[in-house]
Amino acid sequence: MEYGVYMQHYDSNMNLVCLFVDDILVTGSCTEVLMKFKEVLMNEFEMTDLGNMVYFLGMEILYSNKGIILHQLKYELELLKRFKLQNCKTVVTPLETNHKLDSDSDGDFVDVTTFKQLVGSLRYLCNTRPDICYVVGMVSRFMSKPKWSHYQAAIRIMRYIKGTLNYGLLFPSGRKAESELMSYSNSDWCGDIVDRRSTSGYLFKFQGGPISWSSKKQPVVALSKCEAEYIASAVVACQAVWLLNLLEDLKVKINKPLKLMIDNKSAINLAMHGRSEHIETKYHFLKSQVQQGVLEVLHCSTQKQLTDVLTKAIKTNQFLPLRSEIGVVDF
């Protein structure tokens, strides 16, 4: 597979090129060097310089005093029109509290093609809306035989989007000599009532802005809350190593060890010095990274666990402040 990101080092300066098919994004650390680099590209290839980035791969960029906001307003409006939901009633949260979906054996079937188109469109929207990742992942589990209850859950997401059209990801302005990369990990033990597997969620914040997140069902059945949290944290450890290597290539200085926030003390103890022979070997990667000083696992209160948004349906008074904390703001 072709690489999508290219780097060019020029003395103490750097140029970055992000390429996707025939769309190209060019940036760098020095405006003068960047302009010369673009001239070289335009002499070699048939290209058009569109100036500052405002639209790229369906994502829009808004510049403000607070920083850069990444959003998909145009795409959201197109979705509402495509599925004839322009006049739908709005809701405050994308999923009702403690709502669980099952196979719904007695429910009525819905059109598979329409359901797949709706869910597939929502999955692309997750690129700028981590607040809907959990519920989109939940409805995605019923793509083969969707029922009316699954379709209604997907429609509720659209109703939530209708009420939060002017929301996007904020990347705060300001730069420090050494930057802190924060990570959060959480899981919902046995949250899937069909196969009793847990959902893992993680979030990375760099200089106050979200740069990587995930909400995904675990591949194994966890025997305890501790094991579910430990498995989720092991996935974070892998992503953390990749991000640290990427930032090192970009010549970005990072404070080490990287802080991993977990709200389960048993999982922290297991990562620090515990033993558990029944957990698969690959999940002990977390412990090795802690011992090497790459990661430092720290306890945070459940109220400050940002990844609750990525692992479960929570009450409105909890959801709204957490949505803001993970970087989804009204622009």
Side-chain angles (χ1 to χ4, degrees):
M1 183 176 65
E2 288 291 331
Y3 288 102
V5 180
Y6 300 86
M7 292 177 286
Q8 180 193 52
H9 295 281
Y10 183 79
D11 294 334
S12 59
N13 299 308
M14 175 187 293
N15 292 324
L16 293 176
V17 177
C18 300
L19 182 65
F20 185 82
V21 191
D22 59 349
D23 291 306
I24 184 171
L25 175 64
V26 182
T27 186
S29 56
C30 177
T31 304
E32 184 178 347
V33 174
L34 182 61
M35 293 303 295
K36 292 181 179 179
F37 177 67
K38 288 198 291 186
E39 289 179 5
V40 173
L41 288 178
M42 294 178 71
N43 290 332
E44 185 70 22
F45 306 101
E46 185 177 346
M47 298 172 56
T48 303
D49 187 355
L50 300 178
N52 288 339
M53 179 176 64
V54 293
Y55 191 83
F56 187 68
L57 301 180
M59 292 177 280
E60 301 173 73
I61 295 84
L62 179 66
Y63 301 91
S64 70
N65 295 330
K66 294 182 179 180
I68 297 175
I69 297 176
L70 188 67
H71 65 93
Q72 291 175 271
L73 175 59
K74 183 175 181 293
Y75 180 72
E76 291 168 344
L77 292 173
E78 289 174 351
L79 285 186
L80 290 171
K81 182 178 180 180
R82 178 182 177 184
F83 294 101
K84 298 179 175 57
L85 295 170
Q86 303 99 312
N87 300 320
C88 66
K89 293 183 179 180
T90 62
V91 290
V92 181
T93 60
L95 184 65
E96 294 180 10
T97 307
N98 298 322
H99 182 62
K100 304 287 186 180
L101 292 178
D102 56 25
S103 55
D104 193 8
S105 57
D106 298 327
D108 296 328
F109 285 99
V110 296
D111 183 68
V112 176
T113 301
T114 302
F115 184 77
K116 287 183 176 181
Q117 290 175 344
L118 175 57
V119 176
S121 300
L122 288 171
R123 291 190 68 85
Y124 188 69
L125 190 57
C126 292
N127 287 324
T128 59
R129 297 297 298 268
D131 50 329
I132 65 171
C133 282
Y134 169 69
V135 62
V136 172
M138 180 184 291
V139 296
S140 297
R141 300 167 188 174
F142 304 95
M143 297 282 262
S144 59
K145 296 180 180 180
K147 300 295 183 67
W148 180 251
S149 59
H150 309 143
Y151 179 73
Q152 286 300 302
I155 291 297
R156 182 184 172 91
I157 304 174
M158 293 297 298
R159 294 171 60 197
Y160 169 73
I161 293 300
K162 169 72 182 304
T164 56
L165 287 173
N166 293 324
Y167 276 69
L169 290 180
L170 172 65
F171 300 92
S173 58
R175 185 179 64 182
K176 301 178 181 177
E178 289 199 359
S179 307
E180 187 173 48
L181 180 64
M182 293 286 295
S183 60
Y184 297 82
S185 172
N186 197 18
S187 72
D188 180 22
W189 182 41
C190 295
D192 192 309
I193 59 177
V194 177
D195 57 15
R196 309 312 297 177
R197 294 184 184 180
S198 308
T199 299
S200 295
Y202 70 69
L203 173 75
F204 285 85
K205 297 185 74 174
F206 178 61
Q207 290 192 341
I211 62 170
S212 180
W213 57 86
S214 173
S215 178
K216 187 177 181 179
K217 187 163 68 170
Q218 294 180 358
V220 296
V221 178
L223 299 180
S224 65
K225 174 67 173 175
C226 171
E227 183 176 338
E229 295 274 5
Y230 189 73
I231 292 173
S233 301
V235 175
V236 178
C238 297
Q239 182 70 1
V241 171
W242 182 85
L243 283 174
L244 289 173
N245 289 333
L246 174 63
L247 291 171
E248 183 179 350
D249 290 339
L250 296 175
K251 308 300 181 184
V252 177
K253 296 181 179 179
I254 298 294
N255 293 328
K256 292 183 179 180
L258 188 154
K259 296 179 181 178
L260 172 57
M261 311 304 293
I262 305 175
D263 62 1
N264 186 282
K265 292 184 178 180
S266 297
I268 294 176
N269 292 333
L270 183 57
M272 296 289 288
H273 45 68
R275 297 181 61 185
S276 182
E277 295 180 355
H278 76 280
I279 298 179
E280 292 185 49
T281 304
K282 63 180 179 180
Y283 297 119
H284 291 298
F285 178 75
L286 169 64
K287 184 182 295 183
S288 68
Q289 296 304 307
V290 172
Q291 293 172 346
Q292 295 173 27
V294 176
L295 285 172
E296 179 186 9
V297 288
L298 300 172
H299 181 263
C300 69
S301 64
T302 302
Q303 291 73 22
K304 295 181 179 180
Q305 179 52 270
L306 307 188
T307 47
D308 272 353
V309 177
L310 298 168
T311 57
K312 57 182 73 70
I314 53 180
K315 297 179 180 178
T316 303
N317 61 344
Q318 294 175 296
F319 178 81
L320 296 182
L322 286 179
R323 181 180 64 185
S324 178
E325 285 294 320
I326 65 175
V328 179
V329 299
D330 187 349
F331 58 86

